[in-house]
Amino acid sequence: MVIFGMMFYLFAGLTLLSAFLTLIARAPVHSALWLIFMFLNGAGLFVLLGSELLAMIFVIVYVGAVAVLFLFVVMMIKPQREVLKKEIKWYKRIPVLIGIFFGSEMVFILGGWSFVPVASTLDQLPSRVQISNTTAIGNILYTHYAVLFEIAGFILLGAMVGAIVLTKRAPKERYRQKMSDQVLEKKKNRIKICHVDIRKGV
Amino acid sequence: MGTILRDLLCFIPELTLGGLILIFLGGAVFLKKETQGSVLFGKVMFGVLGMVGILVLLQNLEPLYIFNRLFISDTYTIFVKVLVLSITICIYSFSFSSLKSEKVIGVELYVFILMALLGMFMVIGSNDFLSFYLGMELQNIAFYVLVSFKKDSLKNNEAAIKYFILGVVASGIFLFGASLLYGAVGSLNFQDIGNVLGASTLESSSGIPYALFGAGVGLLFIMVSFLFKVSIVPFHMWAPDVYEGSPLPIVAFLAFAPKVVILSVILRLWALLFSETTVFVASSVLKVFPPMIMGASLLSIIVGTFGAFGQSNIKRFLAYTGISHMGFVVLGISLGNYSGMHAALVYLLSYIIMGIGFFASLGALRYPPGFSRIGIVKDLSDLKGLSKTHPGMSFSLAILMISFAGLPPLIGFFSKLYLLLSLIETGFVGIAILGGLSSVVAAVYYLRIVKDLYFEDAEVSLEVVTPLSFFIPLFLSLGGTVFFCIYAEPVLLYVSILMKMLLGR
Amino acid sequence: MDIFDGFPLLSLLIFLPFFGAVFVFLIPQTPGKTEKNIKNTALFIAGCTFMFSLLIWGQFDPSLGSYQFVENKEWLPGLNIRYSLGIDGISLFFVLLTTSLIPLCILGSWESIKHQQKEFLIFLLVLETFILGAFCVLDLLLFYIFFEGTLIPMFLIIGIWGGERRIYAAFKFFFYTLTGSIFMFIAILFLYFKTGTTSIPDLALYPFESSLQVWLWLAFFASFAIKLPMFPFHTWLPEAHVEAPTVGSMILAGILLKMGGYGFLRISLPFFPEASYRFAPYVCGLSIIGIVYASLVALVQRDIKKLIAYSSIAHMGFVTLGIFTFQREGLNGSILQMLSHGVLSSGLFLCVGILYERVHSRDIEAYGGIVSFMPLFSVFFMSLILGAIGLPGTAGFVGEFLVILGTFQVSPLMVVGAGFGIILSAVYMLGLYRKVVFGPVEKIRFQKLKDLSMREGSLLFFFVGCMFWMGLYPNSFIGALHQPISKILEYYGRQQDALVPIFKMKNSIVFNEREL
C-alpha cells in the first residue's frame, strides 16, 4: 500500500510538473515533449487505478498519434518568437488567475466530498473483480452506449471532412485557353463604343 | 429485440439524416464538376428537409425513453425539432442565392447543414448529459466549419478562430461540470439527477450536504457553458465578432437554431431541477441558481441594449440585439414557474418569427454593381432612403423594426406583454419596470433604422434581388408579426400545453 | 338600435379605414397618373367612415347610462383579456371629431403633400383606425395597444413630411410619449395581476387600496399628462407642431391630444377616486400655472405655428382644470373644450398651412396687410381666432365658461388665474391677427397672393360652421354627456350641486360608501 501511495504521488507530481513545464517552455518542441511526458504520467495514474485499457489508449492515442502530430506541425512552423512574446505578455496573467480559481475550487469540493447513498446504485460499471476492464468497457460501450458510439463516429467524420474542406484551396488559375468561354463571350462584355470628340481624348 | 425496434422507430428522423449525410458525401465523389453537385444538392435539399420534417411529425406523441433512457421522445421534443427544422428550411430557402453572392458554395455546405441538424436533433432529444454532449459536439463541429466557409476573407478567419476557441472552451467547461456532477450524483441521466438531488436533501440532516455542493458546482459549470452558447452576458463576447465575420445566411442559422436547441434543453432541465414544483431547491446550494441566472439575464438585457447603440455594422448590431433578446428569454426561464417559462417560449418564438424576416430581407439587399463594396448590404447607414427606391421592402423592414422595439400591435409587443406579466405575477415589479425601460431605450435604435429608411436620402441605391425563395420566409414572418394580435390562439395554447407537460402539471 | 342588434358596428367603424389603407396600398403607383385615383379613394373611404359614424350617432340612445353597441369576444387565450368595444356619450363625440377631421385632413393635404402621397394617405388611414380604436375600446390592454399604435404613423408623418428639424421633433415626440406609456403599461399589467381582468367597466367598480391607488394613478398620469400635454411635460408639443406638416399638426392638435384627456375621464377618475382627490389640488395648480405660463410664452412667439401650439397648451390647461374639479359643469366644460379645441386648433393650423403654401414663411414679421389680397381668408381666420379667444357664441366660449363655472364652486382663487389666461389669450391671438392680416403692405410679392380656392374655402367654412354650431347650440352635445358624467361623479359620492371645497377636505373624506 505504501508503494501504491508513493507511486501515486510520483505520477501525480510529475504530471503537474510536466504540465507546468509545457506551459513555460520556450521552444515549442520542448513544450510538445513535456506534453508527451505528461500523458505518460497520466497513463501511469490509470494503471494505478487498475484500468490498464485506458492507460494503453492514453499512450497509443495521445502520445503515439496526437503528440507526435504536434511535433510534426511544430517542426514545420517557423515560430516568430519575439513578436508573439510582446503580445502574449499581458495575457499571461489571466491563466494564472483562472488556475488559482480552479485550484481553490478543487480543494474546496474535494475536501469534503462524500457520495449520496443512492449514487452507488446508479453506477453503470460492473464490478472489477469478475471481468477484466477491457471486457467491461466493451460490454457497456457496445450495448448501453451503442448509439453514442455511433454519434462519436459521426463527429469524427464531420471533423475529418471539415478539416479537408477548410484546408483545401482552389487550384490557382492557370492561363489556359478555354474554348467554351471564348465562343460564348458576348460583344457587350468586351467592346465599349465611345463617341470621342475631336482633340478631346476619351 | 422489441425495445430496440421501438427505439429505432423513434429514431427514424435522425437515422434518415445520418443516411443522407453519407449519401451526399458519397454522391459528391461521383459528380463531375463541383458546381454541378452544388446545383443538384441545392435543389434536392428542400425535398430532403421536408421529408425529415414529415418523419418528425409522424413520431409518436406519447413520452418514450429510448436507447436506455439516453434519449427521450415526446410532444416537446417533436415541437422543438419541427421548430428547428422550419428555421433551417426558411434560412436555407433564402441562403441559397445569397451564399452564391458571397461566393460560398460547395457540396460540403449541404453536408454540414444536415450534420448540424442531426446534432441539434440529438441535443433536443437528449435525456442524459452524455448524449447531450455528443449531440452538441456534432452540432458544434458542423458550425465551426460553416462559420469558416469563407476561407479567403481575413475577417472570416478571425471569426472562425474565435468561435472555435470559445466553443471548445465552453465544451471543456461543460465536461468539467459534467464530471463533477457525475462524481457527486453517480449518473448523468436527467431524471436520475433530479431524483438523487431530491433524495439527498431529505437526508441532508445526516450530514451529506457536500455531495449536493459538488453537484451544484457541476451544474454551475454546465449552466455556464449553456449561457456561452446562448450568448448571455458575461459570456457574450464572441457573438459580435463571429457574426461580423461570417456570411449572413450562416449568421442567421447561427443566431437561431443552436440557441433554440440549447434553450429547449435549459427549459427541460430548469423544469426538472429549479421549477416551483421541485422542493429541494429552496433548502440547498441550488437556491443561488435562479437569482444568479436572473442577474445574468438582466445584465445581458442591459449590455445588449446599450451595446447595440454604437453599432454601424448590421451583423454586429444583430448580435447585440440578439444578446438583449436572449436576455429576455432567459429572464423568463429563470422565474421557474409556469407563466415565466410560457412567456419565455412565446418570446423565443416571436424573436424567431421577426428575426427570420429581418434576415431574409437583409439577404435580398445587395450593393449595386460598380459600387466600392460588393455583396449583401453591410452597414446600417446603407439602408438610408430605401423607401424611395424600394417602398415595399422598406415597409416590411420598418414593420419588423417596430415589432422588435416592442410596440403594439405587433408580435414583439405581445411577447413582452407575457414576459412582463409573468414578472409582475412572480413579484418582480422593479425588474418589470427595468425591462420596460430598457425596451424604450432599445426602441431608440430600432426607430433609428426606420428613420434611416424613411427620413433620409439615399447614399447608395441598393438593389433588391427578387426570387420567390426570399419572399416566402419574409411573407411568413411578416404575416406572423402582423396577425399574431388577431389569431394567436393555437400557438399560445400549444405552448401552454407543452409547458404544463414539462412542469408535470 | 333594432336592426343593428348583434351587428359589429364599432368593429366595422374602426377597421374600415384600415382596410381602406390596405386597399390604397394595393393601388399601383405610376407617377403623374394614379395620384388622383389614390387621393380620391382615400377620401372616399374617410368619407364612408364619417357617414358610418353619423349612422352610429343616429342610433345612439343618450338616455341610456350604459355602454352601447357593445361587442365582447374572446381574444387572448389563457389571459382574461377580451376584445370588447362599446361607446358612451363621451367617446361618441371623440369618435365623431375623429371621423370628421380625417376627411378634412385628406382634403387639406390635397396639394400640400408633394412627395410620397400614397404612403401619406396610408399612414393617415391607419392612424384613424388606431385613434378610433382607442376611443371605442372597453379593455385596458386594448386601449393601450391603440393608444400606442398612434405613435408610429404620427412619428412617420412628422418625420417624412416635416420641416427642417423634423427628425429631432419626431424622435422627441416619440420618446416623450413612449416613456410615459411604459409606466402605464406596467400599471395595466399590475392591475391585471391584481384583479384578474382588464375590462374597463369592471375595473371601475373594483375598490383599490389607497396606497396602491397613488402609485397606479401616478403611472397613468405620467402617460396622459405627457399626451395632453400638461405644463411641465409639454416641451415636445411646440417642436412637434412646428416641424409637422400642416395636416400632421391638425391631427396632433385636433385629436391626438384629446386622448390624454379622454384617458383621464375614462381611467384615472373612475378607477382611482381617492388618489384623484389627493392629487387634484396639484393637478389644478399645475393647470393654472400651465395656462398662464403657456399664454405668456405665446405672447413672445415669432413663429405662428409655435404660437398656436402654446395656445393649445393653455387650452389643455382648461381641460385638466375642469376635469379635476369633479363638478358636473367642470367635466362638461372640459369635454366641450376638448371638442371645440379639436375644431378650432385644427382650423387654425389649416389657416397657417394655407398661408405657408403661399408665402413659405411661418414668421409673423414676414406678413402684413393680407386682408387686401385675401379678404375671404381673413374673414375665416378672424372667426377662428375669435373662437380660440372664447368669444360668446363660439365653441371656445362654452367650454371655458363651463370650466370656470365648475372651478368657481371649488376655489374662486383659481378662477382668477384661469381668467387671467383668457385675457392673455385675447392679447396674443388678436396681436397675431393684427400683425398678419392688417398693417401696411410692405412686401410687393404679396400682391400676387391668391385668395382661397374653392377647396380651401369650403374646408374653412366647415370648420367655422362647426364652431358656431357648438357655440350656439351646445345642448346637442351636453345631452348625451349627461349620463356618463353622472356615472363618473357617482364614484365621488355626490352630485351636481354639492359644493365641496377640495382644498379643505383632504383628510375628511372617507370612501367606504363606494362598494362593489
Side-chain angles (χ1 to χ4, degrees), chain C residues 200-225:
Chain C
I200 289 177
D202 289 352
L203 279 172
L205 300 171
Y206 189 89
F208 293 101
E209 301 132 43
S210 48
S211 57
L212 206 61
Q213 279 199 17
V214 173
W215 291 111
L216 292 172
W217 188 89
L218 281 174
F220 280 101
F221 177 75
S223 175
F224 298 144

Side-chain angles (χ1 to χ4, degrees), chain B residues 83-102:
Chain B
L83 184 63
V84 168
L85 203 62
S86 26
I87 292 171
T88 313
I89 291 175
C90 280
I91 290 169
Y92 176 75
S93 77
F94 68 81
S95 73
F96 186 51
S97 76
S98 24
L99 279 176
K100 255 187 209 156
S101 86
E102 297 249 359

Side-chain angles (χ1 to χ4, degrees), chain B residues 158-174:
Chain B
E158 182 198 333
I161 293 280
K162 266 182 187 155
Y163 185 56
F164 178 68
I165 291 179
L166 284 171
V168 169
V169 167
S171 292
I173 289 174
F174 173 85

Side-chain angles (χ1 to χ4, degrees), chain A residues 112-115 119 151 165 168, chain B residues 68 108 122 151 183-185 210-211:
Chain A
W113 191 275
S114 69
F115 286 99
I151 300 173
V165 168
K168 187 184 78 175
Chain B
N68 304 313
E108 295 85 1
M122 301 266 174
K151 287 176 286 194
V185 174
Y210 271 103

